[in-house]
Amino acid sequence: MSQLFVPDGYKPVLNVKETEKAIVLIKDFFQLSLSTELNLRRVTAPLFVKSGTGINDDLNGVERSVKFPVKDMGDCQMEIVHSLAKWKRMKVTELNLEPGFGIYTDMNAIRADEELDNLHSLYVDQWDWEMSMKEEDRNVGFLKETVKKIYRCLKQTEFFVYDRYEQLKPCLPENITFVYADELQKKYPSLTPKQRETEECKKYGAIFIIGIGGRLPDGSIHDGRAPDYDDWITETEGGHIGLNGDLMVWNPVLNSAMELSSMGIRVSPESLRKQLKERGCPEREKLDFHSRLLNGEFTQTIGGGIGQSRLCMYFLKKAHIGETQVSSWPDKMIEDCRKSNIAIL
């Protein structure tokens, strides 16, 4: 069911015309900052991939992809991507990139089963990035250093926006705080994962939660994550699980935590087998992508996605993601937004 939260007395800082201009400025600046910080070259990417190859992002394994037949290919079934999580690793391998260098691309997707609200849309636009890395860097320390580089890009962009629009005052903390999903579960045992995120994000302003998808001490998981790209099962320092995570910031407009990015060190053949077994889908080993990975054909990488419209929404202090992208929304949500000064594009 779609849901809408309307902040009391909400009034956009920028009008629609100013917003459209600011979106361009933010996207141009951030992708330059990101590509420079992580040594990424821009590549073109597919909107759809062939069904049955295992290349598409399965998200939580239950979301339906948008599919269509191709007449000139014998009605071969294609599907719109959910993200490019696995395709990027293939591309880095194909380009034979040295450790410390990678790629980024504009990823556009359709997620037909998304529950629509202030932060979630049918249309997904993000910077998908992937970087080659050394096998010996498969550790949480390397993950944290990469997160810090991305956070520096966020801080730089925040000042860039403020320098041009003084009414959009910076609010990100100087540093990002790292927390583990199992620690949050122990700290807030009576709260749901989303409530834990809210409490911790409100406290620190910006956090990175490590271990998204791995089984927590009470048998639950913090949030769903597909078994075939991020490594969420490997045990790391202090007995914690996971080499992946979500970057979240406190959104003062919505008075809630807001995820801007998910990322992680990618699976090894060993962790892929374990995670497929954990999720009850070992038969995926026979798919093209998975069998090639198990044969050791792919470069070891780290990668993730950073939401473009969410980033603009956060820095421009908007109440709804529809104020920074064009998508489709329920009629009632459109009408409620109109009544509440939320200018859906």
Side-chain angles (χ1 to χ4, degrees):
M1 293 291 292
S2 59
Q3 300 180 36
L4 175 67
F5 171 76
V6 179
D8 290 339
Y10 176 72
K11 183 178 180 180
V13 178
L14 304 181
N15 63 33
V16 171
K17 184 177 180 180
E18 293 169 328
T19 296
E20 293 279 21
K21 181 179 179 180
I23 288 171
V24 176
L25 292 174
I26 291 172
K27 289 185 176 182
D28 286 348
F29 181 86
F30 183 82
Q31 67 181 347
L32 178 60
S33 178
L34 181 70
S35 62
T36 303
E37 192 71 54
L38 295 183
N39 299 320
L40 307 177
R41 65 177 66 176
R42 192 186 187 285
V43 298
T44 54
L47 174 62
F48 46 85
V49 294
K50 193 174 182 180
S51 298
T53 58
I55 296 175
N56 201 0
D57 179 358
D58 293 309
L59 300 175
N60 296 311
V62 296
E63 294 87 351
R64 298 170 298 170
S65 58
V66 177
K67 299 182 179 181
F68 61 94
V70 180
K71 184 178 71 172
D72 268 9
M73 296 174 64
D75 277 346
C76 170
Q77 198 82 350
M78 294 288 179
E79 55 189 59
I80 305 294
V81 296
H82 281 143
S83 86
L84 299 171
K86 289 176 277 187
W87 178 88
K88 293 175 297 178
R89 190 168 183 180
M90 297 171 62
K91 189 65 176 180
V92 168
T93 301
E94 176 190 321
L95 293 174
N96 195 29
L97 299 181
E98 294 291 327
F101 295 88
I103 60 173
Y104 80 96
T105 187
D106 283 317
M107 190 285 297
N108 297 293
I110 300 174
R111 296 183 182 175
D113 287 341
E114 199 71 86
E115 293 184 4
L116 308 181
D117 56 25
N118 296 66
L119 297 177
H120 296 88
S121 170
L122 297 175
Y123 170 62
V124 180
D125 57 339
Q126 65 183 31
W127 290 286
D128 253 333
W129 65 273
E130 199 83 8
M131 182 174 67
S132 175
M133 58 178 283
K134 300 175 183 176
E135 288 287 342
E136 54 263 36
D137 285 331
R138 284 182 53 82
N139 57 70
V140 75
F142 182 76
L143 173 66
K144 288 181 177 180
E145 287 305 310
T146 307
V147 172
K148 289 176 184 177
K149 291 178 180 180
I150 293 173
Y151 190 68
R152 281 201 292 270
C153 296
L154 293 176
K155 289 283 291 179
Q156 292 164 6
T157 305
E158 184 179 52
F159 175 75
F160 173 82
V161 173
Y162 175 58
D163 194 39
R164 283 148 185 80
Y165 304 96
E166 290 188 354
Q167 62 271 48
L168 295 169
K169 299 191 181 300
C171 55
L172 286 174
E174 189 62 31
N175 299 301
I176 190 166
T177 298
F178 293 93
V179 296
Y180 290 90
D182 57 353
E183 289 180 334
L184 287 182
Q185 189 271 320
K186 293 176 183 177
K187 188 175 180 180
Y188 306 106
S190 63
L191 300 184
T192 67
K194 294 301 178 187
Q195 290 171 334
R196 296 169 201 159
E197 292 171 358
T198 296
E199 291 300 318
E200 209 72 352
C201 214
K202 187 175 184 178
K203 180 179 180 180
Y204 293 108
I207 62 175
F208 186 82
I209 304 175
I210 302 173
I212 304 295
R215 194 173 295 277
L216 302 178
D218 66 350
S220 66
I221 60 174
H222 184 85
D223 199 2
R225 194 60 51 89
D228 41 21
Y229 52 95
D230 281 353
D231 186 330
W232 41 255
I233 204 167
T234 296
E235 187 170 310
T236 60
E237 60 180 29
H240 300 293
I241 298 295
L243 291 171
N244 74 335
D246 288 346
L247 193 162
M248 315 193 78
V249 297
W250 181 252
N251 186 319
V253 177
L254 299 180
N255 200 35
S256 68
M258 179 181 189
E259 179 191 327
L260 292 182
S261 173
S262 66
M263 57 172 285
I265 292 173
R266 304 313 197 186
V267 288
S268 64
E270 294 73 27
S271 58
L272 174 62
R273 283 194 178 93
K274 291 178 182 177
Q275 291 182 180
L276 290 176
K277 183 178 180 181
E278 174 80 12
R279 286 291 187 265
C281 51
E283 70 280 358
R284 288 194 195 177
E285 291 185 14
K286 298 178 182 179
L287 296 174
D288 182 62
F289 174 86
H290 302 68
S291 61
R292 290 179 63 190
L293 194 152
L294 292 171
N295 286 333
E297 295 182 27
F298 295 142
T299 300
Q300 177 60 59
T301 60
I302 181 173
I306 302 167
Q308 295 186 16
S309 292
R310 282 198 185 187
L311 200 73
C312 294
M313 176 186 170
Y314 175 76
F315 286 129
L316 299 179
K317 304 191 184 303
K318 300 293 188 179
H320 195 286
I321 195 169
E323 295 178 273
T324 55
Q325 65 159 236
V326 176
S327 185
S328 293
W329 309 96
D331 290 340
K332 185 178 187 309
M333 181 178 286
I334 293 174
E335 180 60 20
D336 288 344
C337 284
R338 186 188 65 78
K339 294 176 180 177
S340 306
N341 294 318
I342 298 175
I344 299 294
L345 300 181

